[in-house]
Amino acid sequence: YYTKYMRYSLLLIAIFCCSTQALAETTLPDFSLYDPMDEQLIKTSSYWGQPTLLVFFSISEDERQLNIEQINTIQQRYSSTNLAITAIALDSDEKSTFRFIAKNRPNFRVLMPYKTIKIEPGETRLPLFLLLDSQLQIVKKTAGEATKGLIRAIEKETGFTR
């Protein structure tokens, strides 16, 4: 039941949410995601109360730029904190998401879009990392890779000390 518009709806939401300079004043809208492993719907509001890293990415052949090892390392390093990490496969169906998980063995949750909200696309490189505070305020946006600035923001939000 997924169409091209449905597949990219979450990326468009993320771009729309982060288009302003004052990211800390932007709250992530509540929308539904599908977990193909557990066959359940997940609402973004379920992340309330904990810092969250959302990673929007593409599974398609031409955009295999998601560094699974880097995100696995982030998950392992901050496992003692309350940080939730979720990757959202924008262009996949259930079968390709299963194949992606089986091949890459991520230690974080991989979800898919469920319902659409049509928003005009912007120019954002994938993967897109959105760090949310415990009230779902977007505090950091990084495109392409997890930068040192993103890691510092994660440490600040989780209270992680070295």
Side-chain angles (χ1 to χ4, degrees), residues 14-101:
I15 292 167
F16 176 76
C17 291
C18 298
S19 62
T20 65
Q21 291 287 5
L23 288 179
E25 297 175 10
T26 304
T27 302
L28 186 75
D30 193 19
F31 54 91
S32 295
L33 301 165
Y34 180 68
D35 184 338
M37 300 302 288
D38 294 336
E39 297 181 345
Q40 66 181 18
L41 290 180
I42 308 293
K43 304 238 342 139
T44 54
S45 59
S46 68
Y47 293 109
W48 180 266
Q50 67 186 102
T52 302
L53 181 62
L54 295 180
V55 184
F56 297 85
F57 75 105
S58 170
I59 291 179
S60 67
E61 294 296 325
D62 59 334
E63 293 195 52
R64 293 188 184 262
Q65 298 177 4
L66 184 65
N67 187 336
I68 299 295
E69 288 181 31
Q70 183 184 44
I71 300 170
N72 280 342
T73 300
I74 292 170
Q75 175 67 31
Q76 289 169 350
R77 181 169 191 175
Y78 303 105
S79 64
S80 64
T81 69
N82 199 23
L83 179 68
I85 299 179
T86 297
I88 301 166
L90 296 172
D91 62 348
S92 70
D93 56 32
E94 205 166 330
K95 287 181 183 177
S96 59
T97 303
F98 275 123
R99 283 192 301 267
F100 175 83
I101 293 169

Side-chain angles (χ1 to χ4, degrees), residues 122-155:
E123 294 182 23
T124 298
R125 194 171 53 148
L126 294 178
L128 173 65
F129 295 83
L130 291 182
L131 179 62
L132 312 172
D133 67 12
S134 60
Q135 286 79 44
L136 302 181
Q137 300 288 313
I138 301 169
V139 295
K140 184 76 173 168
K141 171 190 168 188
T142 303
E145 65 180 34
T147 62
K148 289 181 181 180
L150 177 64
I151 299 302
R152 283 191 298 273
I154 289 170
E155 290 177 353

